[in-house]
Amino acid sequence: MTEIETVPPAERTRGEGLAAKVLRIGLTERIVLLAVLLVVVVVWFRVLGAGGYLVAPYDLRYLGNALESMVPFALLAVAELFVIVSGRGGIDLSVGAIVSLAGMVFGFMVGVWGWPLLPAIAGCIVVGALLGAVNGALVAYLRFPALIATLATYYAYSSLALISNANAPISTPPVVALHSLTRNIQLPLLPPIPTHVFTIMLPCAVLAWVIVSRSTYGRALYAVGTNDIAAGYATQPVARTRFTAFVISGLLSGVVAVVTVAQFASARPDAGIVGNGMALPAITVAVLGGVAIQGGIGRVGGVLVAALLITWLNAGMLLAFPEGAEGSRYQLLALGLVLVLSALLNTLALRRYGRLS
């Protein structure tokens, strides 16, 4: 019986050529690859615009306005990061339904019950966290498969959102006035940018980064996601860690509910589930951002850059295919191709280099 030789990653990459080094960095350092793709997308649509192939200028003002649609998907992609990183097939299909149900509760609080704004926002976020806690209890403690558990709660939460106000939106004057929370602001040397990019998305992203990268819980999350059996032997609270991941996912969905109500100037019962819903694009952005579906791998920075890439790609496609629903159809095709490509890149990076960051 011969002994199998193992070559450490450092030995495998020593002495590699320039092309191999570029390939390794592109595969393992996802932020670098996404940044390059982002530049390519922007330059490509700028060239198309200069050639008269777009119906409107693909300029800084247009890109700044497009950030409004980035905020919900970026936050939900970060929510998916927590759940997917926790491992054991972690995924949350119910985030869009939580957005709808929590948004309706927020609409009732502000537009019907007359709550002040800050308590209503806090109440909406708490509702989202509680709905996420139901998912967490099913997955972490009752050991339901995450796919089945969150699919079941997706249907349940969607139904509750639709029947809460007889399938009608809440568009009373106090709710309509919330639209001012998402108005554009003008900063020096920058195009107009939606206010909630600075007041909601960036603070949530920084807090999420601190949690996953600089906290005891973050270390436990990656340990559980990488190998929950070993983490259990190392006295890590496996069930509690997974439960908390779903609670955080629900909490961020509650934040997105506030954003969508303000964007639409209306609490809509189908806000997070209309069309293809918010869950699948959020999962796509998370995987594109380097979150490995196997668990234990993912960075907040990669998810944010991926969200920006998808946002500006979709914005360009809407200008290139303006007639009817053709642009949105091509967006769905692009999302599908991006999801397959990102999953292949993740698998290749893990097999060839044993890491992904």
Side-chain angles (χ1 to χ4, degrees):
M1 182 175 179
T2 60
E3 184 176 335
I4 299 176
E5 294 185 2
T6 59
V7 181
E11 294 291 336
R12 289 201 302 264
T13 59
R14 186 176 299 169
E16 64 185 358
L18 179 60
K21 185 176 181 179
V22 171
L23 177 63
R24 174 174 57 82
I25 293 175
L27 287 175
T28 60
E29 301 294 334
R30 183 53 55 88
I31 292 181
V32 175
L33 175 62
L34 292 173
V36 172
L37 291 177
L38 183 62
V39 172
V40 170
V41 166
V42 172
V43 171
W44 174 249
F45 281 112
R46 293 281 290 180
V47 170
L48 290 179
Y53 294 101
L54 304 181
V55 297
Y58 189 80
D59 54 15
L60 288 178
R61 179 175 292 272
Y62 180 70
L63 295 179
N65 289 331
L67 294 179
E68 181 176 19
S69 63
M70 171 188 172
V71 175
F73 291 114
L75 292 178
L76 291 182
V78 172
E80 294 290 349
L81 178 147
F82 280 92
V83 173
I84 297 174
V85 167
S86 70
R88 205 163 67 85
I91 199 167
D92 192 347
L93 298 178
S94 70
V95 289
I98 295 177
V99 170
S100 294
L101 183 52
M104 290 302 293
V105 174
F106 182 56
F108 278 113
M109 290 175 179
V110 174
V112 178
W113 303 334
W115 284 33
L117 179 58
L118 291 181
I121 291 176
C124 180
I125 294 173
V126 169
V127 168
L130 291 175
L131 296 176
V134 173
N135 290 334
L138 291 173
V139 174
Y141 294 111
L142 299 181
R143 301 187 68 80
F144 276 63
L147 179 67
I148 301 301
T150 59
L151 183 61
T153 55
Y154 164 82
Y155 289 127
Y157 297 160
S158 299
S159 177
L160 290 174
L162 292 172
I163 67 176
S164 62
N165 197 43
N167 202 20
I170 301 173
S171 303
T172 58
V175 175
V176 174
L178 295 175
H179 188 64
S180 62
L181 298 175
T182 61
R183 68 184 185 278
N184 286 356
I185 59 174
Q186 182 69 59
L187 298 175
L189 304 177
L190 291 175
I193 296 177
T195 306
H196 52 295
V197 170
F198 301 102
T199 59
I200 297 178
M201 188 187 76
L202 290 181
C204 288
V206 171
L207 184 58
W209 176 81
V210 170
I211 291 174
V212 299
S213 302
R214 295 292 184 269
S215 71
T216 303
Y217 173 75
R219 290 191 291 273
L221 181 68
Y222 285 104
V224 169
T226 302
N227 189 326
D228 56 357
I229 297 176
Y233 282 125
T235 69
Q236 295 289 349
V238 175
R240 189 175 69 197
T241 299
R242 282 209 176 97
F243 172 80
T244 304
F246 280 94
V247 172
I248 294 174
S249 177
L251 186 149
L252 287 172
S253 300
V255 174
V256 173
V258 174
V259 172
T260 55
V261 171
Q263 286 179 331
F264 297 142
S266 174
R268 292 171 41 182
D270 62 348
I273 57 176
V274 65
N276 294 283
M278 290 183 170
L280 297 183
I283 294 169
T284 302
V285 170
V287 175
L288 176 62
V291 179
I293 205 70
Q294 299 92 336
I297 297 173
R299 295 168 62 185
V300 174
V303 170
L304 293 181
V305 179
L308 183 61
L309 172 62
I310 293 297
T311 298
W312 284 352
L313 175 62
N314 286 341
M317 294 180 70
L318 288 177
L319 296 182
F321 305 98
E323 296 183 5
E326 191 175 3
S328 60
R329 292 169 188 161
Y330 280 101
Q331 284 179 346
L332 294 177
L333 174 61
L335 279 176
L337 293 176
V338 163
L339 181 57
V340 172
L341 177 61
S342 58
L344 288 174
L345 289 175
N346 287 355
T347 302
L348 181 59
L350 290 172
R351 286 182 177 177
R352 182 161 183 170
Y353 302 105
R355 69 186 182 91
L356 177 67
S357 60

